[in-house]
Amino acid sequence: MRALIDPGAQMCLISENAAQQLGLPRQQEKGVITGVGLRDSKCKGMLYVTCLSSDEKYSFNTEAFIMKDLTRKLPNFTFPKARWDILDTLPLADYNYNVNNSIDILLGAEIYATILMHGMYKHGNLSLVVQETHLGWIICGRVPQSFQCNLVLNNIEDIQKFWEIEDIPAQTLNTNEEDECVKYYKETTTRLADGRYQVRIPLKKAGLQKLGHSKSKAVAQFRQLEYKFNKNKHIAQQYKSFIHEYLSMGHMTISPTKQWRNAREAREASECYLPHHCVLRESSTSALRVVFNGSAKTSTGVSLNDIMHKGPNLQKDLLSLILKWRQHRVAYIADVEKMFRQIWVHQEDQSLQKIIWRDSPNEMLQEYQLTTVTYGQKAAPFLAMMTLKQLAHDERSNYPEAAKALEESFYMDDLLHGSHSVSSAKQLQHELQKLLQSGGFYLRKWMSNYQELARTDNQDTSDENNYYFKEMESRKTLGLQWDPS
């Protein structure tokens, strides 16, 4: 073993490789070792070791904490030995002090103070000092012609994140839980007579038993919302319009009144009340969006999202989508109108999506339940993307090219696709609209670098409108926007 004596170190350290060579029993030690190298390192355990001098006339015991690596090889390079006669007469602790080699053990200040003896020689011209210790004479001084500039980078994690932004991640395999979630979706999802899909919320096993009471909290937060309405009439008007649209489209209905036979049956009823609030987005076509908070804790400290499976990430990487999209001569984009809300939730699960609402403080508080996939729930992105994939699978025989585009060219509700001719682009545009309409989805806001594709039914296509690539949802675009003209 080769040891480095470091009077500035507060503990003794040993490398993982050296610890394995010794084969001594180790004790578990948890902690972080700082001050060795540029980064903090996790402690991998601790050994009790006995160290002997090379002539075996002196020994000492110490505890040594295990690190993966101690330091680089020292000295930095092999150099000629110093020309000093006294070095030939003294029993050195390391006769190969000039050879670049690995460090196995680092002995700290406590050991340095223990082994130090009185003998010392200095050579002023060579800037060398030899010090007598119980392990032999050790040499200190400047290595000849050793000039090195070290640049220490702080916040190295931020630098790493900067490059990760531009990285296209490799495809990852689903976990067993995610595979079970996909299996559950396929077993419980049905397609209704009008072509739309009805899904079940993927709940964890025995998750409903962990939900507590949630109505009182939802009522309290709704009263706070009404207080906000009184202070801002503009927000109140937009919020009420949003809720009225939910009601008129059947995406929200009055909760049916149920009669419980006893108090226990009422307690065990599967229901959850979701507090709701609004998010203002000036850059969006719909400036106000109501978010139903599936992460709100119930009386047991457990939320609806806590008992819900997230499902695998079916989202395409946005950067790779844009790179692929830019290869086409004819480029076009569109989005699915109210994508989440076009997917029905099974009636047995709608009681988990209850909300409190009334139009005016003069009215009684009313219970409603949401009937579609709800923005703000953990499983919503999975259910939406999985439904698009299911639609592509079901309609592949009728629209083969459009089904492929549906599977490969969507970023959540946004289509990024293209063709190499205007005629093929028009044909695919028509098929995509037909395919999605068969499942109750509608493509809108078509934009293209060819006006023939941008002009669709009942749509104002102004060249002044630029398209921002999900700058609110993804940092990977770095604020990228597209001017189709």
Side-chain angles (χ1 to χ4, degrees), residues 361-376:
N362 299 325
E363 300 176 1
M364 294 287 291
L365 290 175
Q366 183 69 52
E367 296 181 14
Y368 293 86
Q369 59 190 36
L370 308 178
T371 60
T372 61
V373 171
T374 301
Y375 188 85

Side-chain angles (χ1 to χ4, degrees), residues 410-475:
F410 269 81
Y411 183 81
M412 191 53 70
D413 57 347
D414 283 344
L415 166 70
L416 283 77
H417 203 59
S419 303
H420 296 295
S421 69
V422 175
S423 59
S424 61
K426 283 185 175 181
Q427 178 64 28
L428 187 55
Q429 181 187 57
H430 176 74
E431 290 188 4
L432 274 168
Q433 289 173 319
K434 289 292 185 181
L435 167 60
L436 285 161
Q437 285 175 7
S438 68
F441 300 100
Y442 298 93
L443 279 174
R444 60 174 185 171
K445 294 194 296 186
W446 286 88
M447 297 177 68
S448 174
N449 56 335
Y450 282 79
Q451 284 298 313
E452 301 95 312
L453 297 167
R455 296 194 181 98
T456 54
D457 295 339
N458 300 323
Q459 182 180 327
D460 177 24
T461 57
S462 173
D463 290 340
E464 296 177 358
N465 293 328
N466 292 345
Y467 180 76
Y468 293 83
F469 288 93
K470 291 291 183 184
E471 76 281 4
M472 297 300 291
E473 285 86 356
S474 174
R475 63 192 175 106

Side-chain angles (χ1 to χ4, degrees), residues 96-157:
N96 296 318
Y97 64 88
N98 62 317
V99 178
N100 172 257
N101 209 341
S102 300
I103 301 297
D104 302 299
I105 303 174
L106 186 146
L107 303 176
E110 182 180 2
I111 302 301
Y112 177 72
T114 303
I115 65 175
L116 206 59
M117 298 176 70
H118 297 292
M120 178 187 292
Y121 293 97
K122 294 183 179 180
H123 194 303
N125 293 334
L126 296 178
S127 299
L128 289 181
V129 175
V130 285
Q131 176 73 50
E132 185 182 15
T133 73
H134 287 293
L135 300 178
W137 290 74
I138 58 176
I139 305 175
C140 302
R142 193 185 75 181
V143 176
Q145 297 179 352
S146 176
F147 300 101
Q148 185 174 357
C149 177
N150 293 310
L151 176 64
V152 178
L153 294 177
N154 294 319
N155 298 323
I156 196 71
E157 292 81 5

Side-chain angles (χ1 to χ4, degrees), residues 12 17 40 205 230-232 261 291 314 330 413 433 456:
C12 293
N17 183 53
D40 299 345
K205 188 176 181 180
N230 290 331
K231 297 179 65 176
N232 193 321
R261 290 174 296 180
V291 177
L314 304 177
V330 182
D413 57 347
Q433 289 173 319
T456 54

Side-chain angles (χ1 to χ4, degrees), residues 217-484:
K217 185 174 183 178
V219 170
Q221 293 199 18
F222 179 75
R223 295 189 187 278
Q224 289 291 325
L225 187 64
E226 286 187 319
Y227 177 75
K228 184 177 182 179
F229 288 166
N230 290 331
K231 297 179 65 176
N232 193 321
K233 300 300 183 182
H234 179 65
I235 289 181
Q237 181 181 359
Q238 291 189 70
Y239 208 110
K240 290 176 183 179
S241 297
F242 189 98
I243 294 295
H244 291 165
E245 181 192 65
Y246 248 77
L247 278 168
S248 64
M249 299 182 70
H251 299 166
M252 183 172 89
T253 60
I254 296 178
S255 295
T257 303
K258 295 183 178 181
Q259 299 295 328
W260 310 114
R261 290 174 296 180
N262 51 54
R264 179 180 178 182
E265 188 178 75
R267 285 197 307 269
E268 293 178 351
S270 301
E271 62 179 17
C272 184
Y273 292 82
L274 305 177
H276 48 93
H277 61 276
C278 64
V279 176
L280 296 174
R281 297 176 56 195
E282 298 300 334
S283 61
S284 174
T285 53
S286 54
L288 182 141
R289 171 187 283 177
V290 175
V291 177
F292 303 98
N293 187 8
S295 296
K297 303 297 183 182
T298 64
S299 59
T300 58
V302 177
S303 69
L304 178 62
N305 280 346
D306 290 335
I307 66 167
M308 187 184 302
H309 288 295
K310 182 180 180 180
N313 180 18
L314 304 177
Q315 191 70 274
K316 294 289 184 181
D317 179 72
L318 183 55
L319 181 60
S320 58
L321 270 179
I322 293 175
L323 290 175
K324 179 182 176 182
W325 169 75
R326 289 183 59 168
Q327 296 175 23
H328 297 289
R329 174 171 159 262
V330 182
Y332 47 87
I333 58 174
D335 73 38
V336 181
E337 182 180 13
K338 299 179 178 64
M339 182 172 72
F340 285 11
R341 291 164 55 184
Q342 308 307 328
I343 306 168
W344 299 106
V345 169
H346 195 282
Q347 192 168 5
E348 291 184 17
D349 293 339
Q350 291 177 14
S351 59
L352 296 173
Q353 302 185 145
K354 288 189 175 184
I355 68 166
I356 301 296
W357 177 259
R358 65 183 175 187
D359 281 347
S360 168
N362 299 325
E363 300 176 1
M364 294 287 291
L365 290 175
Q366 183 69 52
E367 296 181 14
Y368 293 86
Q369 59 190 36
L370 308 178
T371 60
T372 61
V373 171
T374 301
Y375 188 85
Q377 291 186 9
K378 185 165 66 173
F382 162 73
L383 292 173
M385 294 299 294
M386 192 67 192
T387 301
L388 288 187
K389 289 184 177 295
Q390 186 64 42
L391 176 60
H393 176 269
D394 294 343
E395 298 291 337
R396 192 180 308 278
S397 59
N398 298 324
Y399 311 100
E401 289 299 320
K404 182 179 180 182
L406 183 57
E407 290 179 325
E408 300 178 358
S409 298
F410 269 81
Y411 183 81
M412 191 53 70
D413 57 347
D414 283 344
L415 166 70
L416 283 77
H417 203 59
S419 303
H420 296 295
S421 69
V422 175
S423 59
S424 61
K426 283 185 175 181
Q427 178 64 28
L428 187 55
Q429 181 187 57
H430 176 74
E431 290 188 4
L432 274 168
Q433 289 173 319
K434 289 292 185 181
L435 167 60
L436 285 161
Q437 285 175 7
S438 68
F441 300 100
Y442 298 93
L443 279 174
R444 60 174 185 171
K445 294 194 296 186
W446 286 88
M447 297 177 68
S448 174
N449 56 335
Y450 282 79
Q451 284 298 313
E452 301 95 312
L453 297 167
R455 296 194 181 98
T456 54
D457 295 339
N458 300 323
Q459 182 180 327
D460 177 24
T461 57
S462 173
D463 290 340
E464 296 177 358
N465 293 328
N466 292 345
Y467 180 76
Y468 293 83
F469 288 93
K470 291 291 183 184
E471 76 281 4
M472 297 300 291
E473 285 86 356
S474 174
R475 63 192 175 106
K476 286 210 164 191
T477 62
L478 297 176
L480 189 63
Q481 69 180 60
W482 178 42
D483 178 3

